[in-house]
Amino acid sequence: MSQEHNAYGYYPGCSLKATAHAYGDSTERVAEVLGLTLNEVADWNCCGATEYMSLSAIPAYSLIARNLSLAAAQGHQEMISPCSACYLNLRKANDSMAKYPALNEKVNRALGAGGLHYDPNSLHIRHLLDMMVEDVGYETIAEHVTKPLSGLKVACYYGCLIVRPRTDGYNPEYPMHLDRLMQTLGAKVVDFPLKTHCCGGHMTQISEETAFELIRRLLHNAADYGADMIVTVCPMCQLNLDAYQPQVNAMFGTNYEIPILFFTQLMGLAFGIPAREVGMGAEITSAAPALGKIGHEEMEPARPKRRDKKSLPMPQP
Amino acid sequence: MEEVQTRKPFFDRVMASTPGGNTLLGCLQCGTCGGSCPSGPDMDATPRKLFAMARANMEEDVLLSNAPWYCVSCYYCTVRCPQEIPITDLMYTFKRMAIESGHYNAESHADFSQSFCGYIEHYGRSFEFGLATRYHLTHHPLQMVRKTGLGFQMIQKGRLNTAPDRIHDMPQLTAILTEAKRIATEDEL
């Protein structure tokens, strides 16, 4: 799908505006260096995550389809999603509407109530990682590497939704494109047999016993293979493995301190972008010791800006 | 709705409510789904067993099972199923039917989904801070101290917004969802 243009519709998703702002910041900076234009779809809404589909199907598909309709109406042919859950939902709505005419008719009837319409397949929905390796390509990425990640051992964690349930070329259980990308940046990629196992998803919120065991397995597996860090492509995976790592340690009597970074953060560091600009320091389990191995200084945590120096940081209307 | 007499059997409704659901007729009962499931050990019945129960129209037993609520949506079962049954989507169907009928297990997490979606319906975006405080205060008040510590760290690192983001055209989204809900009720059966 490499085209002449290098401009894309961009659907950041809710997480990139909050829990995964490091992913959003690093994506923007890396895109800039690579000369890619990411045009944020105006007025996009939440994709419903893994929750809306549990309540009612037609509203769930319609919620997602509003984004597809807006993106197409705004002139995009391709829409890039960095979040694996958004990617899955956007793609699933498009594919299901294309495959099931009755569903398509109902969803479009709902969209019509808001003056919108969507023709299935008028938008090509892609994950950011796929776009990076397919359109930009390993060679071009290698050309931009000024500070290779030599000496850094990374476990490449794909999670679930970027590779399943799609069946269009990438191995659903043992993909390699993130591994190759990390090698391109100069990192040493360790074997990681659990690379597409589940991080627990929303279970960290509703059943810690279930979620923490899944997280423990992943950390244990990465540690077994000597990884300095785990690299991820999904805000949910990052949050679960990073923010809950201390609680997982407490539950199992372990003492893992494995930083969890987004692949775009490592691309940024390898491109020589200052660590702060790619969201370093936002992680709960500090990446500073691991990054010390490749000559990056310890970072102060990135703090949100006070909107007004005098006022207290109260919720804004 | 005087549905009782005209209602189709449970198994037919399950298939009809799931895109591609009629593949369920080809279930071999091989158990690959349950064997691939990361939360299998927490489930009172594996997907394989649930499908056999559904086929026997054991509506109440299926809807009361905790299994769909432990589904983490990882799609391992779906890609491994030799009959290409959309198993993950069927788990969503069971959850929806359970919520609709009010027949759900005490272990279910229906109100987590409902709280999450409530925020989307208000703002058009998810709102983790609101969700975390509301849901955990009602469900795990004793864990709140620990969670609050993490919450502070997240706020400090700019990862948790204490005020929700909103989209501009909420009236449009509301109109779409209202119509979608109306369509959903008119033809679910």
Side-chain angles (χ1 to χ4, degrees), chain A residues 192-215:
Chain A
F192 189 37
L194 298 192
K195 62 164 75 168
T196 59
H197 280 224
C198 179
C199 72
H202 71 181
M203 280 296 163
T204 45
Q205 302 305 306
I206 47 203
S207 172
E208 290 187 346
E209 291 72 19
T210 304
F212 287 4
E213 167 58 15
L214 300 183
I215 295 171

Side-chain angles (χ1 to χ4, degrees), chain B:
Chain B
M1 280 187 284
E2 55 283 2
E3 79 273 26
V4 182
Q5 284 164 343
T6 55
R7 242 180 169 202
K8 284 188 280 183
F10 177 64
F11 188 61
D12 293 359
R13 279 182 279 131
V14 168
M15 291 193 291
S17 314
T18 316
N22 55 359
T23 49
L24 202 46
L25 288 167
C27 175
L28 304 166
Q29 290 289 302
C30 70
T32 301
C33 44
S36 306
C37 182
S39 25
D42 294 313
M43 294 178 171
D44 53 26
T46 59
R48 178 199 64 75
K49 190 170 171 187
L50 277 190
F51 296 152
M53 287 156 68
R55 191 145 198 181
N57 290 310
M58 295 165 67
E59 176 164 1
E60 199 153 321
D61 301 272
V62 171
L63 298 187
L64 280 171
S65 164
N66 71 7
W69 302 98
Y70 276 96
C71 169
V72 289
S73 241
C74 76
Y75 291 88
Y76 254 114
C77 52
T78 300
V79 299
R80 286 180 174 177
C81 176
Q83 295 295 80
E84 300 184 8
I85 298 168
I87 299 171
T88 311
D89 294 343
L90 284 157
M91 292 299 133
Y92 279 111
T93 298
F94 289 143
K95 285 192 263 193
R96 289 197 298 272
M97 293 176 95
I99 290 175
E100 278 160 23
S101 69
H103 266 126
Y104 46 86
N105 188 292
E107 277 181 84
S108 73
H109 315 300
D111 53 345
F112 178 79
S113 301
Q114 283 161 331
S115 302
F116 188 96
C117 298
Y119 284 112
I120 299 175
E121 290 174 359
H122 268 91
Y123 304 118
R125 298 270 170 90
S126 71
F127 180 39
E128 277 137 343
F129 181 78
L131 179 68
T133 45
R134 188 162 100 182
Y135 182 77
H136 292 304
L137 275 174
T138 44
H139 288 263
H140 321 285
L142 295 177
Q143 292 178 14
M144 271 307 273
V145 179
R146 185 155 44 90
K147 288 183 191 294
T148 305
L150 176 58
F152 276 131
Q153 267 185 299
M154 294 290 282
I155 291 171
Q156 199 178 33
K157 288 173 181 288
R159 296 180 64 176
L160 194 57
N161 298 332
T162 48
D165 266 356
R166 315 158 190 257
I167 64 170
H168 295 296
D169 204 346
M170 260 324 285
Q172 181 187 57
L173 179 59
T174 305
I176 292 171
L177 293 180
T178 305
E179 178 64 5
K181 285 177 188 174
R182 201 189 57 73
I183 295 170
T185 54
E186 90 188 3
D187 60 13
E188 285 283 281
L189 293 182

Side-chain angles (χ1 to χ4, degrees), chain A residues 40-156:
Chain A
E40 187 166 329
V41 174
D43 211 35
W44 57 270
N45 56 257
C46 175
C47 73
T50 48
E51 308 312 317
Y52 216 131
M53 202 57 82
S54 309
L55 298 185
S56 189
I58 302 297
Y61 281 116
S62 303
L63 179 81
I64 302 166
R66 177 176 177 271
N67 297 307
L68 305 178
S69 170
L70 290 179
Q74 289 164 24
H76 300 301
Q77 275 120 46
E78 300 200 40
M79 183 160 70
I80 304 300
S81 166
C83 168
S84 302
C86 299
Y87 164 74
L88 171 84
N89 276 339
L90 295 164
R91 202 170 152 164
K92 186 170 179 174
N94 176 77
D95 293 0
S96 299
M97 286 170 76
K99 196 168 171 188
Y100 305 105
L103 178 71
N104 183 32
E105 186 273 321
K106 286 173 197 167
V107 172
N108 266 306
R109 211 160 8 117
L111 288 178
L116 298 178
H117 179 83
Y118 179 68
D119 288 321
N121 290 337
S122 50
L123 203 57
H124 188 206
I125 297 135
R126 306 170 67 198
H127 192 280
L128 179 67
L129 173 65
D130 299 348
M131 182 269 266
M132 285 290 179
V133 303
E134 291 167 14
D135 291 9
V136 180
Y138 301 108
E139 291 82 21
T140 307
I141 290 171
E143 285 166 14
H144 285 85
V145 174
T146 58
K147 287 190 173 176
L149 307 178
S150 317
L152 196 64
K153 287 188 281 182
V154 303
C156 294

